[in-house]
Amino acid sequence: MGPLSPLVTSLRRTPQLVFAMAVLATGLVVASSVLVKGIRRGNDTITVTGSSTERISSDFVDWTVEVARSAPTLQASYQELQPEVQRTIDFLRQQGIPADAISRNPIKSDKSEVRDSRTGELQSTTFTTRQQIRISSPEVDKVAAVAQQIGELVGQGVPLTINDPAYTYTKLSEKRVDMLAKATRDARQRAREIARQAGSRIGVITQADTGSFQITVPNSTEMSSYGSYDTTTIEKDITAVMGVTFRVD
């Protein structure tokens, strides 16, 4: 190691001293904290948090809409439901959704009773039968466009509940490895700069800890210690974080 700078000399006087440095990242790389451990002879280390952010586009979508009909009897509610379900499926097919991308979830029924608040006498019974229609497809843009148009059926009297499409990225495991490698390189670059300021050089990695893995809407500032996975947008930002400890030579 070369001549010690005043910073390293101070650290030797106070071996337990820990100080934090804020490092400003450029582009899409998020700011990360930097922690330098007290330097000790024979065991000098520096721990740096590196990060990497990349924009991706979802390649799969899951989307459900629910059709429901109510009637005084269970049989009537079921019978009234069927043509509305078929009408919804026909609309999806007309918009270019292939048949193999459309499936029906099991039918569910509920019974609701209205009773006199004073006597408890049963006044009426209503049965509601509902069925979810699921669309699962790699044609993300097409499904997104249909989701914007299906409200037309509501205007035509179809009793629909329209859920938001869930957009996902199916190659996440491969992307995760790549992003963690980039975050490690970012940590090394930051560590080199810090060591240079102290008149030293970094050596081998002695420890690496995977931090949170964030998948957020573009340009989001949301961060969670447990990680996050947003499914509301087609375009997403993936951020990987790595805490890396280097030996200081």
Side-chain angles (χ1 to χ4, degrees):
M1 185 182 297
L4 294 177
S5 67
L7 171 61
V8 177
T9 302
S10 173
L11 288 173
R12 280 192 167 177
R13 293 198 193 105
T14 313
Q16 299 304 321
L17 177 63
V18 177
F19 65 91
M21 300 178 61
V23 180
L24 178 64
T26 58
L28 290 174
V29 177
V30 300
S32 59
S33 62
V34 177
L35 178 68
V36 179
K37 294 183 177 179
I39 296 178
R40 301 178 299 277
R41 290 184 178 180
N43 190 30
D44 299 350
T45 60
I46 180 172
T47 300
V48 179
T49 301
S51 62
S52 179
T53 298
E54 187 174 319
R55 181 70 50 83
I56 63 167
S57 183
S58 302
D59 60 4
F60 201 81
V61 58
D62 273 304
W63 176 42
T64 60
V65 296
E66 184 177 86
V67 188
R69 291 294 292 185
S70 297
T73 67
L74 181 59
Q75 181 182 17
S77 67
Y78 176 84
Q79 292 174 342
E80 292 178 16
L81 176 72
Q82 296 311 302
E84 303 293 8
V85 169
Q86 190 59 51
R87 189 174 175 185
T88 302
I89 292 175
D90 290 345
F91 177 87
L92 295 171
R93 295 297 309 280
Q94 291 165 7
Q95 299 303 315
I97 304 296
D100 60 2
I102 303 171
S103 61
R104 304 186 191 192
N105 287 352
I107 291 176
K108 297 181 179 180
S109 297
D110 299 314
K111 181 173 71 172
S112 175
E113 296 180 343
V114 176
R115 294 181 178 273
D116 188 285
S117 59
R118 295 171 299 176
T119 66
E121 181 183 355
L122 181 63
Q123 295 181 326
S124 65
T125 301
T126 302
F127 290 89
T128 300
T129 302
R130 53 177 56 86
Q131 185 168 41
Q132 280 192 341
I133 301 170
R134 179 178 295 277
I135 300 91
S136 301
S137 173
E139 296 184 275
V140 173
D141 292 333
K142 177 179 289 186
V143 173
V146 176
Q148 295 294 321
Q149 300 169 1
I150 199 168
E152 297 175 10
L153 287 178
V154 178
Q156 297 170 13
V158 178
L160 273 180
T161 298
I162 305 170
N163 298 310
D164 292 331
Y167 303 104
T168 55
Y169 184 68
T170 61
K171 302 179 182 65
L172 189 57
S173 58
E174 296 93 328
K175 179 60 67 175
R176 181 184 178 90
V177 173
D178 177 61
M179 296 297 292
L180 290 176
K182 291 178 180 178
T184 302
R185 289 195 293 270
D186 179 58
R188 182 179 293 277
Q189 181 178 351
R190 295 170 189 273
R192 282 174 177 165
E193 180 60 24
I194 296 168
R196 186 183 67 81
Q197 295 296 326
S200 304
R201 295 180 303 175
I202 62 168
V204 298
I205 294 175
T206 62
Q207 184 175 339
D209 299 310
T210 303
S212 60
F213 199 69
Q214 314 285 340
I215 303 176
T216 63
V217 298
N219 304 315
S220 171
T221 58
E222 175 188 356
M223 294 294 289
S224 168
S225 58
Y226 298 101
S228 60
Y229 197 140
D230 178 84
T231 62
T232 63
T233 59
I234 296 176
E235 299 296 313
K236 306 177 189 299
D237 282 349
I238 297 183
T239 300
V241 176
M242 283 288 289
V244 188
T245 300
F246 300 90
R247 189 172 301 284
V248 178
D249 300 327

